Coordinates of all heavy atoms in Angstrom, one line a residue:
M1 N 0.8 -1.2 0.0 CA 0.0 0.0 0.0 C 0.9 1.2 0.0 O 1.8 1.4 0.8 CB -0.9 0.0 1.2 CG -1.8 1.2 1.4 SD -2.7 1.1 2.9 CE -4.3 1.2 2.3
S2 N 0.7 2.1 -0.9 CA 1.5 3.3 -1.0 C 0.9 4.4 -0.1 O -0.3 4.4 0.3 CB 1.5 3.8 -2.4 OG 0.3 4.3 -2.8
L3 N 1.7 5.4 0.2 CA 1.2 6.5 1.0 C 0.1 7.3 0.3 O -0.7 7.8 0.9 CB 2.4 7.4 1.4 CG 3.4 6.9 2.4 CD1 4.5 7.9 2.6 CD2 2.7 6.6 3.7
A4 N 0.2 7.3 -1.0 CA -0.8 8.1 -1.8 C -2.2 7.5 -1.6 O -3.2 8.2 -1.6 CB -0.4 8.1 -3.2
S5 N -2.3 6.2 -1.5 CA -3.6 5.6 -1.4 C -4.0 5.4 0.1 O -5.1 4.8 0.3 CB -3.6 4.2 -2.1 OG -2.7 3.3 -1.5
S6 N -3.2 5.8 1.0 CA -3.6 5.7 2.4 C -4.7 6.6 2.8 O -4.9 7.7 2.3 CB -2.4 6.0 3.3 OG -2.7 6.0 4.7
S7 N -5.6 6.1 3.7 CA -6.7 6.9 4.1 C -6.5 7.6 5.5 O -7.4 8.1 6.0 CB -8.0 5.9 4.3 OG -7.7 5.0 5.3
V8 N -5.2 7.6 5.9 CA -4.9 8.3 7.2 C -4.9 9.8 6.9 O -4.3 10.3 6.0 CB -3.5 7.8 7.7 CG1 -3.1 8.6 8.9 CG2 -3.5 6.3 8.0
Q9 N -5.6 10.5 7.8 CA -5.6 12.0 7.7 C -5.0 12.6 8.9 O -5.3 12.1 10.0 CB -7.1 12.5 7.5 CG -7.7 12.0 6.2 CD -9.1 12.6 6.0 OE1 -9.7 13.1 7.0 NE2 -9.6 12.4 4.9
V10 N -4.2 13.5 8.7 CA -3.5 14.2 9.8 C -4.4 15.4 10.2 O -4.7 16.2 9.3 CB -2.1 14.6 9.5 CG1 -1.5 15.4 10.6 CG2 -1.3 13.4 9.1
V11 N -4.7 15.5 11.5 CA -5.5 16.7 11.9 C -4.6 17.8 12.4 O -3.7 17.5 13.2 CB -6.5 16.2 13.1 CG1 -7.3 17.3 13.6 CG2 -7.4 15.1 12.6
A12 N -4.9 19.0 11.9 CA -4.1 20.1 12.4 C -4.3 20.4 13.8 O -5.4 20.1 14.4 CB -4.5 21.3 11.5
P13 N -3.3 20.9 14.5 CA -3.4 21.2 16.0 C -4.6 22.0 16.4 O -5.3 21.8 17.4 CB -2.1 21.9 16.3 CG -1.2 21.4 15.3 CD -2.0 21.2 14.1
D14 N -5.0 23.0 15.5 CA -6.1 23.9 15.9 C -7.5 23.2 15.6 O -8.5 23.8 15.9 CB -6.0 25.2 15.1 CG -6.0 25.1 13.6 OD1 -5.7 23.9 13.1 OD2 -6.2 26.1 12.9
E15 N -7.5 22.0 15.0 CA -8.7 21.3 14.8 C -8.9 20.2 15.8 O -9.9 19.4 15.6 CB -8.7 20.8 13.3 CG -8.7 21.8 12.3 CD -8.6 21.3 10.9 OE1 -8.6 20.1 10.7 OE2 -8.5 22.1 9.9
H16 N -8.1 20.0 16.7 CA -8.2 18.9 17.7 C -9.5 19.2 18.6 O -9.7 20.3 19.0 CB -7.0 18.8 18.6 CG -5.8 18.2 17.9 ND1 -4.6 18.1 18.6 CD2 -5.6 17.7 16.7 CE1 -3.8 17.5 17.7 NE2 -4.4 17.3 16.6
I17 N -10.2 18.2 18.9 CA -11.4 18.3 19.7 C -11.0 18.3 21.2 O -11.5 19.1 22.0 CB -12.3 17.1 19.4 CG1 -12.9 17.2 18.0 CG2 -13.5 17.1 20.4 CD1 -13.7 16.0 17.6
L18 N -10.0 17.5 21.6 CA -9.5 17.5 22.9 C -8.1 18.2 23.0 O -7.3 18.2 22.1 CB -9.3 16.0 23.4 CG -10.5 15.1 23.4 CD1 -10.1 13.7 23.8 CD2 -11.5 15.7 24.5
T19 N -7.9 18.8 24.2 CA -6.6 19.4 24.4 C -5.6 18.3 24.8 O -6.0 17.2 25.2 CB -6.6 20.4 25.5 OG1 -6.9 19.7 26.7 CG2 -7.6 21.5 25.2
V20 N -4.3 18.6 24.7 CA -3.3 17.6 25.1 C -3.5 17.2 26.6 O -3.4 16.1 27.0 CB -1.9 18.2 24.9 CG1 -0.8 17.3 25.5 CG2 -1.6 18.4 23.4
Q21 N -3.8 18.2 27.4 CA -4.0 18.0 28.8 C -5.2 17.0 29.0 O -5.1 16.1 29.9 CB -4.3 19.3 29.6 CG -4.5 19.1 31.1 CD -4.7 20.4 31.8 OE1 -4.6 21.4 31.3 NE2 -5.0 20.2 33.1
E22 N -6.3 17.2 28.3 CA -7.4 16.3 28.4 C -7.1 14.8 28.1 O -7.6 13.9 28.6 CB -8.6 16.8 27.6 CG -9.2 18.0 28.1 CD -10.2 18.6 27.2 OE1 -10.0 18.6 25.9 OE2 -11.2 19.2 27.6
V23 N -6.2 14.7 27.1 CA -5.8 13.4 26.6 C -4.8 12.7 27.6 O -4.9 11.5 28.0 CB -5.1 13.4 25.2 CG1 -4.5 12.1 24.8 CG2 -6.2 13.9 24.2
L24 N -3.9 13.5 28.2 CA -2.8 12.9 29.0 C -3.3 12.8 30.5 O -2.7 11.9 31.2 CB -1.6 13.8 29.0 CG -0.9 13.9 27.6 CD1 0.3 14.8 27.7 CD2 -0.4 12.5 27.2
E25 N -4.3 13.5 30.9 CA -4.6 13.5 32.3 C -5.0 12.1 32.9 O -4.6 11.7 33.9 CB -5.7 14.5 32.6 CG -6.0 14.7 34.1 CD -6.9 15.9 34.4 OE1 -7.3 16.6 33.5 OE2 -7.1 16.2 35.6
P26 N -5.9 11.4 32.2 CA -6.2 10.0 32.7 C -5.0 9.1 32.8 O -4.9 8.4 33.8 CB -7.2 9.5 31.6 CG -7.7 10.7 30.9 CD -6.6 11.7 30.9
L27 N -4.1 9.2 31.9 CA -2.8 8.4 32.0 C -2.0 8.9 33.2 O -1.5 8.1 33.9 CB -2.0 8.5 30.7 CG -0.7 7.8 30.7 CD1 -0.8 6.3 31.0 CD2 0.0 8.0 29.4
Y28 N -1.9 10.2 33.3 CA -1.1 10.8 34.4 C -1.7 10.3 35.8 O -0.9 9.9 36.7 CB -1.1 12.3 34.3 CG -0.4 13.0 35.5 CD1 1.0 13.1 35.4 CD2 -1.0 13.4 36.6 CE1 1.7 13.7 36.4 CE2 -0.3 14.0 37.6 CZ 1.0 14.2 37.5 OH 1.7 14.8 38.6
R29 N -3.0 10.4 35.9 CA -3.6 10.0 37.2 C -3.4 8.5 37.4 O -3.2 8.1 38.6 CB -5.1 10.3 37.1 CG -5.5 11.7 37.0 CD -5.2 12.5 38.3 NE -5.4 13.9 38.1 CZ -4.6 14.8 38.6 NH1 -3.6 14.5 39.3 NH2 -4.9 16.1 38.4
K30 N -3.5 7.7 36.4 CA -3.3 6.2 36.6 C -1.9 5.9 37.0 O -1.6 5.2 37.9 CB -3.6 5.5 35.2 CG -3.4 4.0 35.3 CD -3.7 3.3 34.0 CE -3.5 1.9 34.2 NZ -3.0 1.2 33.0
L31 N -0.9 6.6 36.4 CA 0.5 6.4 36.8 C 0.8 6.9 38.2 O 1.5 6.3 38.9 CB 1.4 7.1 35.8 CG 1.5 6.5 34.4 CD1 2.3 7.4 33.4 CD2 2.1 5.1 34.4
E32 N 0.1 8.0 38.5 CA 0.3 8.5 39.9 C -0.3 7.6 40.9 O 0.4 7.3 42.0 CB -0.5 9.9 40.0 CG -0.3 10.6 41.3 CD -1.0 12.0 41.2 OE1 -2.1 12.1 40.8 OE2 -0.3 12.9 41.7
Q33 N -1.4 6.9 40.6 CA -2.0 6.0 41.5 C -1.1 4.7 41.7 O -1.0 4.2 42.7 CB -3.4 5.6 41.1 CG -4.4 6.7 41.3 CD -5.8 6.3 40.7 OE1 -5.9 5.3 40.0 NE2 -6.8 7.0 41.1
E34 N -0.6 4.3 40.5 CA 0.3 3.1 40.5 C 1.5 3.4 41.3 O 2.0 2.5 42.1 CB 0.6 2.7 39.1 CG -0.5 2.1 38.3 CD -0.2 1.8 36.9 OE1 1.0 2.0 36.5 OE2 -1.1 1.3 36.2
A35 N 2.1 4.6 41.2 CA 3.3 4.9 41.9 C 3.0 5.0 43.4 O 3.8 4.5 44.2 CB 3.9 6.2 41.4
E36 N 1.9 5.6 43.8 CA 1.6 5.7 45.2 C 1.3 4.3 45.8 O 1.7 4.0 46.9 CB 0.3 6.6 45.4 CG 0.0 6.8 46.8 CD -1.0 7.9 47.0 OE1 -1.0 8.9 46.3 OE2 -1.9 7.7 47.9
A37 N 0.7 3.4 45.0 CA 0.4 2.1 45.5 C 1.8 1.3 45.8 O 1.9 0.6 46.8 CB -0.4 1.3 44.5
K38 N 2.7 1.5 44.8 CA 4.0 0.8 45.0 C 4.8 1.4 46.2 O 5.4 0.7 46.9 CB 4.8 1.0 43.7 CG 4.3 0.1 42.6 CD 5.2 0.2 41.4 CE 4.5 -0.7 40.3 NZ 5.5 -1.1 39.3
L39 N 4.7 2.7 46.4 CA 5.4 3.4 47.5 C 4.7 2.8 48.8 O 5.5 2.5 49.8 CB 5.2 4.9 47.5 CG 6.1 5.6 46.5 CD1 5.6 7.1 46.3 CD2 7.5 5.5 46.8
L40 N 3.4 2.7 48.9 CA 2.7 2.3 50.0 C 3.1 0.8 50.3 O 3.4 0.4 51.5 CB 1.2 2.4 49.8 CG 0.3 1.9 51.0 CD1 0.6 2.7 52.3 CD2 -1.1 2.1 50.6
E41 N 3.1 0.0 49.3 CA 3.5 -1.4 49.4 C 4.9 -1.6 50.0 O 5.2 -2.3 50.9 CB 3.4 -2.1 48.1 CG 3.7 -3.6 48.1 CD 3.6 -4.2 46.8 OE1 3.0 -3.6 45.8 OE2 4.1 -5.4 46.6
A42 N 5.8 -0.8 49.4 CA 7.2 -0.9 49.9 C 7.4 -0.4 51.3 O 8.1 -1.0 52.1 CB 8.1 0.0 49.0
A43 N 6.7 0.6 51.7 CA 6.7 1.1 53.1 C 6.2 0.1 54.1 O 6.7 -0.1 55.1 CB 6.0 2.5 53.2
V44 N 5.0 -0.5 53.7 CA 4.4 -1.5 54.6 C 5.3 -2.7 54.7 O 5.5 -3.3 55.8 CB 3.0 -1.8 54.1 CG1 2.5 -3.0 54.9 CG2 2.1 -0.6 54.3
Y45 N 5.9 -3.1 53.6 CA 6.8 -4.2 53.6 C 8.0 -3.9 54.5 O 8.6 -4.8 55.1 CB 7.3 -4.5 52.2 CG 8.2 -5.7 52.0 CD1 7.8 -7.0 52.1 CD2 9.6 -5.5 51.8 CE1 8.6 -8.1 52.0 CE2 10.5 -6.5 51.7 CZ 10.0 -7.8 51.8 OH 10.8 -8.9 51.7
A46 N 8.5 -2.7 54.5 CA 9.6 -2.3 55.4 C 9.2 -2.1 56.8 O 10.1 -1.8 57.7 CB 10.2 -1.0 54.8
G47 N 8.0 -2.3 57.2 CA 7.5 -2.3 58.6 C 6.8 -1.0 59.0 O 6.4 -0.9 60.2
W48 N 6.5 -0.1 58.1 CA 5.7 1.1 58.4 C 4.2 0.7 58.4 O 3.8 -0.2 57.7 CB 5.9 2.2 57.4 CG 7.3 2.8 57.4 CD1 8.5 2.2 57.3 CD2 7.6 4.2 57.5 NE1 9.5 3.1 57.4 CE2 9.0 4.4 57.5 CE3 6.8 5.3 57.7 CZ2 9.6 5.6 57.6 CZ3 7.4 6.6 57.7 CH2 8.7 6.7 57.7
S49 N 3.4 1.4 59.2 CA 2.0 1.2 59.1 C 1.5 1.9 57.8 O 2.2 2.8 57.3 CB 1.3 1.8 60.3 OG 1.3 3.2 60.2
A50 N 0.4 1.5 57.3 CA -0.2 2.1 56.1 C -0.5 3.6 56.4 O -0.2 4.4 55.5 CB -1.5 1.4 55.7
E51 N -0.9 3.9 57.6 CA -1.2 5.3 57.9 C 0.1 6.1 57.9 O 0.2 7.2 57.3 CB -1.8 5.4 59.3 CG -2.2 6.8 59.7 CD -2.9 6.9 61.1 OE1 -3.5 5.9 61.5 OE2 -2.8 8.0 61.7
E52 N 1.2 5.6 58.5 CA 2.5 6.3 58.5 C 3.0 6.5 57.0 O 3.5 7.5 56.7 CB 3.5 5.5 59.3 CG 3.3 5.5 60.8 CD 4.2 4.6 61.5 OE1 4.5 3.4 61.0 OE2 4.7 4.9 62.5
A53 N 2.8 5.4 56.2 CA 3.3 5.5 54.8 C 2.5 6.5 54.1 O 3.1 7.3 53.3 CB 3.1 4.1 54.2
L54 N 1.2 6.6 54.2 CA 0.4 7.6 53.5 C 0.7 9.0 54.0 O 0.8 9.9 53.1 CB -1.1 7.3 53.7 CG -1.6 6.1 53.0 CD1 -3.1 5.8 53.4 CD2 -1.5 6.2 51.5
E55 N 1.0 9.2 55.3 CA 1.4 10.5 55.7 C 2.7 10.9 55.1 O 2.9 12.1 54.7 CB 1.5 10.5 57.3 CG 0.2 10.5 58.0 CD 0.3 10.4 59.5 OE1 1.5 10.5 60.0 OE2 -0.7 10.1 60.1
A56 N 3.7 10.0 55.0 CA 5.0 10.3 54.4 C 4.8 10.6 52.9 O 5.5 11.5 52.4 CB 5.9 9.1 54.6
I57 N 4.0 9.8 52.2 CA 3.7 10.1 50.8 C 3.1 11.5 50.6 O 3.5 12.2 49.7 CB 2.8 9.0 50.2 CG1 3.6 7.7 50.1 CG2 2.3 9.4 48.8 CD1 2.7 6.5 49.8
D58 N 2.1 11.8 51.5 CA 1.5 13.2 51.4 C 2.6 14.3 51.6 O 2.5 15.3 51.0 CB 0.4 13.3 52.4 CG -0.9 12.5 52.0 OD1 -1.0 12.1 50.8 OD2 -1.7 12.3 52.9
E59 N 3.5 14.0 52.6 CA 4.5 15.0 52.8 C 5.4 15.2 51.6 O 5.8 16.3 51.3 CB 5.3 14.6 54.1 CG 6.4 15.6 54.5 CD 5.8 16.9 55.0 OE1 4.6 16.9 55.5 OE2 6.5 17.9 55.0
L60 N 5.8 14.1 51.0 CA 6.6 14.1 49.7 C 5.9 15.0 48.7 O 6.5 15.8 48.0 CB 6.9 12.7 49.2 CG 7.9 11.9 50.0 CD1 7.9 10.5 49.5 CD2 9.3 12.5 49.9
K61 N 4.6 14.7 48.5 CA 3.8 15.5 47.5 C 3.8 17.0 47.9 O 4.0 17.8 47.0 CB 2.4 15.0 47.5 CG 2.2 13.7 46.8 CD 0.7 13.2 46.8 CE 0.5 11.9 46.3 NZ -0.9 11.5 46.3
R62 N 3.7 17.3 49.2 CA 3.7 18.7 49.6 C 5.0 19.4 49.3 O 5.1 20.5 48.7 CB 3.4 18.9 51.1 CG 1.9 18.9 51.4 CD 1.6 19.3 52.8 NE 2.1 18.4 53.8 CZ 1.5 17.2 54.2 NH1 0.4 16.9 53.7 NH2 2.1 16.5 55.1
H63 N 6.1 18.6 49.6 CA 7.4 19.2 49.3 C 7.6 19.4 47.8 O 8.2 20.4 47.3 CB 8.5 18.2 49.8 CG 8.7 18.3 51.3 ND1 9.3 19.4 51.9 CD2 8.5 17.4 52.2 CE1 9.3 19.2 53.2 NE2 8.8 18.0 53.4
E64 N 7.1 18.4 47.0 CA 7.2 18.6 45.5 C 6.5 19.8 45.0 O 7.0 20.6 44.2 CB 6.7 17.3 44.8 CG 6.8 17.3 43.3 CD 6.3 16.1 42.7 OE1 5.6 15.2 43.3 OE2 6.5 15.9 41.5
L65 N 5.3 20.0 45.5 CA 4.5 21.2 45.1 C 5.1 22.5 45.5 O 5.2 23.4 44.8 CB 3.1 21.1 45.6 CG 2.2 20.0 45.0 CD1 0.8 19.9 45.8 CD2 2.0 20.2 43.6
E66 N 5.7 22.5 46.7 CA 6.4 23.7 47.2 C 7.6 24.0 46.4 O 7.9 25.1 46.0 CB 6.8 23.5 48.7 CG 5.6 23.5 49.7 CD 6.0 23.1 51.1 OE1 7.2 22.9 51.3 OE2 5.1 23.1 51.9
S67 N 8.3 22.9 46.0 CA 9.5 23.1 45.2 C 9.1 23.6 43.8 O 9.8 24.5 43.3 CB 10.2 21.7 45.0 OG 11.3 21.9 44.2
I68 N 8.1 23.1 43.2 CA 7.6 23.6 41.9 C 7.2 25.1 42.0 O 7.5 25.9 41.2 CB 6.5 22.8 41.4 CG1 7.0 21.4 41.0 CG2 5.8 23.4 40.2 CD1 5.9 20.3 40.7
A69 N 6.5 25.4 43.1 CA 6.0 26.8 43.3 C 7.1 27.8 43.5 O 7.1 28.9 43.1 CB 5.0 26.9 44.5
T70 N 8.2 27.4 44.2 CA 9.3 28.3 44.5 C 10.4 28.3 43.6 O 11.3 29.2 43.6 CB 9.8 28.0 46.0 OG1 10.3 26.7 46.0 CG2 8.8 28.3 47.0
H71 N 10.5 27.2 42.7 CA 11.6 27.1 41.7 C 11.0 26.8 40.4 O 11.2 25.7 39.9 CB 12.6 26.0 42.1 CG 13.2 26.2 43.5 ND1 12.6 25.9 44.6 CD2 14.4 26.8 43.7 CE1 13.5 26.2 45.6 NE2 14.5 26.7 45.1
P72 N 10.3 27.8 39.7 CA 9.8 27.5 38.4 C 10.9 27.1 37.4 O 12.1 27.5 37.6 CB 9.1 28.8 38.0 CG 9.7 29.8 38.9 CD 10.2 29.1 40.1
L73 N 10.5 26.5 36.4 CA 11.5 26.1 35.4 C 12.3 27.3 34.9 O 11.7 28.3 34.5 CB 10.9 25.4 34.2 CG 10.2 24.0 34.5 CD1 9.4 23.5 33.3 CD2 11.1 23.0 35.0
E74 N 13.6 27.1 34.9 CA 14.5 28.2 34.4 C 14.3 28.5 32.9 O 14.5 29.6 32.5 CB 15.9 27.9 34.7 CG 16.2 27.7 36.2 CD 15.9 28.9 37.0 OE1 16.1 30.0 36.6 OE2 15.5 28.7 38.2
S75 N 13.9 27.5 32.2 CA 13.8 27.6 30.7 C 12.5 28.1 30.3 O 12.2 28.4 29.1 CB 14.1 26.3 30.0 OG 13.2 25.3 30.4
A76 N 11.5 28.3 31.2 CA 10.2 28.8 30.8 C 10.3 30.2 30.4 O 11.0 31.0 30.9 CB 9.2 28.6 32.0
P77 N 9.5 30.6 29.4 CA 9.5 31.9 28.8 C 8.9 32.9 29.8 O 8.2 32.7 30.6 CB 8.6 31.9 27.6 CG 8.0 30.5 27.6 CD 8.6 29.7 28.6

């Protein structure tokens, strides 16, 4: 099959129905949940209670958000 007879159509960026964020958000959330589950599992395996592990994970998230807020990307316009 040649490219000339292909029925694939490329949609221009301004014609997209969904934004990139709308497309990526479900995947991001799923990966975030999987990572948190693995962190929780590892902490419980290491002897922490689930409550202690969740508190530690929440603290890590807070630190990450604070870091992002106080140190924006240097390359951003």
